[in-house]
Every structure is written in structure tokens, then in C-alpha cells.
Amino acid sequence: MESVEQKKDSINGGVNGHYKLKSFEDEDFDPAAPPPFKIAEIRAAIPQHCWVRNPWRSMSYVFRDVLVVFALMAAAVHFNSWYFWPIYWISQGTMFWAIFVLGHDCGHGSFSESTKLNNVVGHILHSAILVPYHGWRISHRTHHQNHGNVEKDESWVPMTESLYKSLTLRTKILRFTVPFPVLAFPMYLLYRSPGKEGSHFNPKSSLFAPNERAAVLTSTEWSYLRGGLTTVDRDYGLFNNIHHDIGTHVIHHLFPQIPHYHIVEATKAAKPVLGKYYREPKKSGPFPFHLVDNLVRSLDQDHYVSDSGDVVFYQTDPDFVKLINNKSL
């Protein structure tokens, strides 16, 4: 059995803060190898009722969240005090993310079986929080169909080493130091990821194809499965329910058509099939403070991936880390 220090020295790189370790207990498991199961086996393990999209149940979550949003607005107007406004900002921001998740479900078609209802509700919800629904829906579909693919993925794309080295120091600081990544989502909507051109707000953007402006590339089952397995579940504590279990992400990525209110049950059913390819999330207290450490560690260590290779892992730029650490002293 290797010591902790030996394990640290054996890190080959990581994905989303999870690292491949050459430890004794892991030597029979290679996360870079093709999984021994097919996506059809995972699908078969999920109960049939988990695939049912109930529009009335979905709308009940919309009514719940909108009611809370207006209640918070009423409270802010009522108190109208310096001590309440920060509470309002945090609370309302939390609820706006819940609204986003419901619109996200509409974009996936997991809200209901009606495309028209999905698009109407999704457009209203996302427009209310200044997200371009159709632009995001199209790019997000591309992301799901190419998840984990360094060349074709749309969002959460790891930078290649050559692209990383071409960035200015200012860009690296903005991308890899807190609190700047908090602004990543609106910047992504405006400018996409580094190395990609276009905007979610521009219909003529290269992000969209002429036919429906959404011609997306279809992955094979093998690469689609492996890409989906690079995602991880997160425990957000009391926010799990508020944000409609968006942290239960592995099964969502493999089967985005499953409604959010069935995703936890579907994940539980799929775990025996996934085996070691499913990484149990760290349990959270009421507030997920442990995720701050995950974020900081990822920003500190996950900088780029190799320009070559079929399966690549995140690598660290030691010079950048040294520079940032010296600046913080």
C-alpha cells in the first residue's frame, strides 16, 4: 500500500478535480480504458417510470419557484434596508439558478413531451434571467452530444497545451483565479470558450448552422458513453432540492431526457452497472462549503491537456502556480 506522499507523487493529471492515481487499490481499474458495459445496460437498469415526463408535475416546480421569486421581491420592497439587500441578492440569485435549471430541462425536452410547451416555458424562464433560451439550448445540445471530447465539446472544454501557452498572463489570471470564474457563464454566453468564436446572442454566429442553426455532431455510443462518464455528481446540501437535483449529473448527461424529479432514483438504479466508473460525491452539510476547496484546487491544478493522445488528462502549469502564489504573499 502506497503512502499518501507516494500517491501524491503518482498523480498523472485529473478531470474536474478527480485524479488518476497509480495506487495499489486502483491498479485493477483504469479510468482511461473503455468501460466494460454498454449504455443500453445502464438504460435497462433505470425503472420505466423514471422516463415519464409529466407536464403537470414539471409546471408545479415552475409555480413553486416563481412564487418564491415574487415573495423575495415583496420582502425586499417591504424591508428596503441595507441589511436585507445582501440577503435578497444571495437568495434571489439562488432562485434564479433554480429558474435556469427548469429552463434547462425544457431545452432537453425532459420538461414534457410537447416541444411547443417546452420551448414556450423555457423561453419565458430563461428570458426572465437574461439567458438566450434557443441559443443556449442549441449549444448545450452540442455539449451533451460531445461531452468529454476535447475537439468537439461546446462548454467545459479543456484547453490544449498550445492554446493555453498562447494566452496572455492577464487571461490566465482571469480564468484560473478566484473570484473571476464566477463571471464565466455570462462571458461564455457572450463570447463562448477560449479558442472558439461566436456568441449565443447572435443568430448569425458560427455556433449555429443554417438549417435550424443547430446542426450538431452526433457521437458514437462508445465515445458518448465514455464522455458522459467523465462528469461527476455533486452534493449541494440543502440546495439539492432548491436547484432540482442538478448536481446529480452523470445520469443526466447520459440520459438528459429523464426529468429532474426522477434523476436521483435513476442514478441509484444505475450505480450497480456503473461500478467504479461512478464516483460517489462527497457528502455535504446544509451548505456545500466543501465545493469551494474543489473549485480552488481545480483552478490551481487543471490548466490544460496535451495536444496529442486519444485519452488526455488535465495538467498543471507550475510556472503559473508559482507566479500566483508569489503574488498572494
Side-chain angles (χ1 to χ4, degrees):
M1 182 69 69
E2 289 182 325
S3 67
V4 174
E5 288 74 23
Q6 287 175 314
K7 286 185 178 182
K8 287 181 179 178
D9 291 338
S10 67
I11 290 177
N12 278 353
V15 178
N16 289 337
H18 290 261
Y19 295 87
K20 180 183 176 184
L21 302 176
K22 293 181 179 178
S23 65
F24 174 81
E25 59 188 3
D26 289 329
E27 66 182 10
D28 62 336
F29 174 63
D30 181 5
F37 48 82
K38 300 294 185 182
I39 196 169
E41 296 175 59
I42 307 174
R43 182 189 296 271
I46 298 173
Q48 284 299 313
H49 69 266
C50 289
W51 303 90
V52 176
R53 295 167 287 177
N54 186 328
W56 294 106
R57 185 170 181 179
S58 296
M59 284 301 299
S60 72
Y61 289 101
V62 174
F63 292 138
R64 183 196 76 174
D65 290 355
V66 170
L67 179 63
V68 175
V69 166
F70 278 98
L72 288 171
M73 291 173 59
V77 172
H78 174 74
F79 290 106
N80 193 22
S81 174
W82 65 268
Y83 66 82
F84 187 78
W85 283 111
I87 298 174
Y88 171 77
W89 296 332
I90 295 173
S91 301
Q92 198 68 290
T94 298
M95 290 311 304
F96 280 180
W97 184 251
I99 293 292
F100 172 83
V101 174
L102 292 176
H104 158 275
D105 286 359
C106 291
H108 278 302
S110 61
F111 189 86
S112 76
E113 295 183 3
S114 169
T115 301
K116 182 175 292 186
L117 178 62
N118 292 338
N119 287 340
V120 169
V121 174
H123 187 76
I124 293 173
L125 293 177
H126 274 193
S127 296
I129 55 174
L130 304 182
V131 174
Y133 170 72
H134 287 292
W136 173 86
R137 174 183 62 81
I138 292 166
S139 71
H140 194 63
R141 184 172 65 181
T142 304
H143 161 58
H144 266 262
Q145 292 187 336
N146 297 280
H147 46 208
N149 188 311
V150 176
E151 297 174 342
K152 298 177 182 178
D153 200 349
E154 169 55 33
S155 57
W156 306 106
V157 184
M159 283 188 288
T160 59
E161 184 175 2
S162 57
L163 176 59
Y164 174 84
K165 290 182 176 179
S166 71
L167 299 179
T168 64
L169 177 60
R170 177 174 175 271
T171 301
K172 291 179 182 178
I173 292 175
L174 289 173
R175 184 175 175 88
F176 296 109
T177 58
V178 177
F180 301 112
V182 174
L183 303 174
F185 185 60
M187 295 302 292
Y188 164 69
L189 292 178
L190 284 169
Y191 304 111
R192 298 178 73 190
S193 302
K196 295 179 179 290
E197 298 179 352
S199 170
H200 288 76
F201 293 92
N202 183 2
K204 296 182 180 180
S205 169
S206 59
L207 182 61
F208 313 119
N211 57 324
E212 188 215 18
R213 302 194 180 280
V216 293
L217 299 172
T218 303
S219 302
T220 63
E221 179 180 292
W222 175 75
S223 61
Y224 179 86
L225 174 59
R226 294 180 71 180
L229 293 176
T230 64
T231 60
V232 293
D233 284 2
R234 302 289 191 194
D235 185 354
Y236 292 102
L238 63 85
F239 297 101
N240 287 330
N241 180 264
I242 296 174
H243 289 161
H244 310 292
D245 293 307
I246 192 64
T248 310
H249 220 59
V250 176
I251 292 301
H252 165 68
H253 253 268
L254 293 175
F255 307 109
Q257 63 271 40
I258 295 179
H260 73 267
Y261 41 82
H262 289 316
I263 202 70
V264 172
E265 181 182 358
T267 298
K268 184 177 180 180
K271 283 183 185 180
V273 179
L274 296 175
K276 292 183 179 180
Y277 285 85
Y278 179 81
R279 289 157 288 184
E280 196 72 40
K282 182 178 180 180
K283 294 301 180 183
S284 173
F287 297 94
F289 294 122
H290 68 286
L291 295 180
V292 176
D293 178 64
N294 286 359
L295 171 63
V296 173
R297 187 174 69 248
S298 180
L299 293 174
D300 190 48
Q301 298 177 351
D302 302 340
H303 294 153
Y304 60 84
V305 297
S306 173
D307 287 285
S308 59
D310 294 328
V311 179
V312 293
F313 291 87
Y314 271 112
Q315 299 179 40
T316 302
D317 178 1
D319 294 330
F320 178 70
V321 173
K322 186 183 299 183
L323 176 65
I324 294 300
N325 289 340
N326 289 339
K327 282 191 173 185
S328 63
L329 294 178

